[in-house]
Amino acid sequence: GEFLANYESKRVFVELEPSEATTYQESRKTYRDYLNRKGINLGMPNGWARFLFEGGRSEEGRKAIEAFRLQKKIAFHAEAKIEKLKELLLQHREDPSIIFCSDNQKVYEISRKLLIPAITHETKARERRGILERFKSGIFSAIVTNKVLNEGVDVPSARVGIILSGSGTVREHVQRLGRILRKHKDKEAVLYEIITRNTSEEYTSDRRRQHDAYRQ
């Protein structure tokens, strides 16, 4: 209304490639079988700590931890996400857009593939200011980042946020939404989540949307 722009929050789903789906299911089975054998529940407060502690004590456990990380990486970095990202950027080619990723590696990959300026914790302060100034002025139509723009950055011209991957925390999700909500003329903002269907990322998305900001 008076201080925040009108906005929409949309979830966009993509599918795993057949080879990705096979590896995903195999990895998921490996670590879940291990959890069942050890009686570990990741939903419990000490579940993750126990998984890491137990897993680090044996070759079987280390393989389970690696399998967990691999299935998560496949869900977060599905090949189809890049194509969907291209579609959204083309659809919003006139709208200043911020792309959010969960890790630096993906940020730099997108930056190289799509020629989009990147900002991470490794970006020097002077370079960061230069990128943000060019983004605000319209010279850059999009930027890609991980967590460094979650808070404390004023980009009122940003109209579109695209979450390619992220954690399940409500705070991070609300912070990312906040980057595109600054009132600016008559702008209508939109936040997209690109989610890999039939993976644990669907559950991650449900968790981080547990806030009134997403109950429109």
Side-chain angles (χ1 to χ4, degrees):
E2 184 177 355
F3 298 104
L4 300 179
N6 292 323
Y7 70 95
E8 290 183 273
S9 175
K10 299 181 179 182
R11 294 203 277 190
V12 180
F13 292 90
V14 299
E15 304 285 346
L16 289 173
E17 296 292 332
S19 60
E20 291 177 320
T22 297
T23 305
Y24 177 84
Q25 293 300 337
E26 290 174 349
S27 300
R28 189 165 178 80
K29 184 177 186 304
T30 296
Y31 94 83
R32 290 184 69 85
D33 285 351
Y34 177 82
L35 293 178
N36 290 334
R37 284 195 296 273
K38 293 293 185 179
I40 300 172
N41 183 350
L42 294 184
M44 298 297 289
N46 68 336
W48 178 246
R50 188 180 167 202
F51 180 34
L52 294 180
F53 175 76
E54 292 285 350
R57 301 173 66 187
S58 68
E59 182 64 24
E60 178 193 27
R62 286 188 286 273
K63 287 182 178 179
I65 293 173
E66 183 59 31
F68 174 87
R69 290 171 174 160
L70 179 57
Q71 59 90 36
K72 184 176 180 180
K73 181 178 179 180
I74 291 170
F76 277 17
H77 298 166
E79 287 296 324
K81 286 193 174 190
I82 299 297
E83 294 307 312
K84 183 57 67 174
L85 173 61
K86 291 178 182 178
E87 290 178 18
L88 292 175
L89 290 175
L90 183 61
Q91 177 184 336
H92 291 281
R93 55 187 174 274
E94 302 298 329
D95 301 321
S97 304
I98 303 177
I99 304 159
F100 297 98
C101 299
S102 59
D103 60 270
N104 287 357
Q105 182 180 353
K106 201 64 180 179
V107 169
Y108 294 136
E109 178 187 338
I110 291 170
S111 180
R112 289 192 301 269
K113 285 184 175 180
L114 305 185
L115 301 180
I116 295 173
I119 296 179
T120 72
H121 72 277
E122 298 174 335
T123 308
K124 301 299 183 184
R126 182 176 180 181
E127 181 182 1
R128 183 184 304 187
R129 286 196 300 270
I131 291 173
L132 289 175
E133 287 171 2
R134 287 167 175 80
F135 179 68
K136 292 175 184 178
S137 68
I139 295 175
F140 294 154
S141 60
I143 53 177
V144 58
T145 185
N146 51 9
K147 297 182 180 182
V148 296
L149 296 189
N150 281 358
E151 58 183 329
V153 176
D154 185 19
V155 280
S157 61
R159 290 175 179 264
V160 177
I162 302 174
I163 296 176
L164 211 62
S165 58
S167 74
T169 65
V170 174
R171 179 181 178 182
E172 177 182 272
H173 203 48
V174 172
Q175 287 172 335
R176 289 178 167 185
L177 174 63
R179 298 287 67 75
I180 63 172
L181 288 188
R182 176 71 181 274
K183 190 79 171 176
H184 183 66
K185 300 179 181 178
D186 59 348
K187 86 172 186 183
E188 298 279 339
V190 58
L191 181 72
Y192 292 97
E193 285 181 76
I194 305 180
I195 303 163
T196 308
R197 196 180 292 280
N198 297 320
T199 70
S200 58
E201 192 175 36
E202 292 188 83
Y203 172 67
T204 298
S205 174
D206 290 339
R207 284 173 51 207
R208 65 192 180 204
R209 293 174 66 88
Q210 295 175 10
H211 189 278
D212 288 343
Y214 302 98
R215 301 189 183 109
Q216 298 188 71

